[in-house]
Structure formats: C-alpha cells, structure tokens
Amino acid sequence: MPPKKVVREVFLIEGKYEKYKSSLSTPNRLLLLRGAHQIPHLIPLISPEPTVCPETPPPGHTCAFEIFFSLCGLYFPLPDVLIDLMHEFGIALPQLCPNVI
C-alpha cells in the first residue's frame, strides 16, 4: 500500500519585514534531515507551528531553512567564517541567501 499523502494547510504570515508562507516542516521531515546531514542530537530541531514566521522563532532557537542543508551543504557546528560574517553585518542565519552559504 503506497504511503498516504498528507496535505498541510499553508498560511500567509505577516512579518515585520515581509510576508512568509508557513513552514511545511514536520517532525518526521526533521528526523530525515538530521539523519541525511549528520546533525548532532545535541542540536534540538523543532517544527514550527503554522503561525510562526522566521523572524520570531521561539526563545532560545533560531531559524534555518531546509534548503541550507539539502542544497547548500550547511553543517553543524556552523563554519567560523559564516559566524564571523553574521556578526560583522549584524544579521541572523535566516537572513542569509542560500548562495552565501
């Protein structure tokens, strides 16, 4: 029997800087992401609620888009050059374009 496709409702979330579509991430997708890209279990991964935008992650968390790992080769711990770049320009990880990574 083929797997059943579950369709998630997509919301448009108004952020301070722009509008965002809600995340399609699920706990199962995060498990696959963790395994495929050797993300250590010390780094907690959470699937955001449908109304959470990248500008407002829960306290103690930051946003990282799946594309950063799957297509851009991002890994943990974050490379020092990336941390230095974010610190120098005062930007957060989700503000980077994938081609920077």
Side-chain angles (χ1 to χ4, degrees):
M1 176 182 242
K4 183 179 177 183
K5 185 172 182 167
V6 177
V7 179
R8 288 188 62 173
E9 192 172 358
V10 177
F11 298 93
L12 195 58
I13 304 164
E14 187 73 41
K16 181 178 178 182
Y17 301 104
E18 63 180 281
K19 293 181 182 179
Y20 301 91
K21 289 184 180 177
S22 57
S23 174
L24 297 176
S25 184
T26 64
N28 285 341
R29 283 180 68 155
L30 292 179
L31 282 174
L32 292 172
L33 182 76
R34 182 184 298 280
H37 300 284
Q38 290 99 32
I39 299 173
H41 287 282
L42 294 172
I43 299 172
L45 300 178
I46 61 170
S47 184
E49 295 296 321
T51 57
V52 173
C53 81
E55 295 175 13
T56 57
H61 289 82
T62 190
C63 172
F65 299 107
E66 287 183 41
I67 191 173
F68 289 177
F69 300 93
S70 60
L71 296 179
C72 303
L74 184 66
Y75 57 89
F76 286 102
L78 294 177
D80 288 340
V81 67
L82 201 55
I83 293 171
D84 292 344
L85 176 81
M86 291 186 302
H87 180 61
E88 179 69 26
F89 292 103
I91 56 177
L93 185 61
Q95 291 175 295
L96 296 176
C97 294
N99 62 351
V100 168
I101 295 173

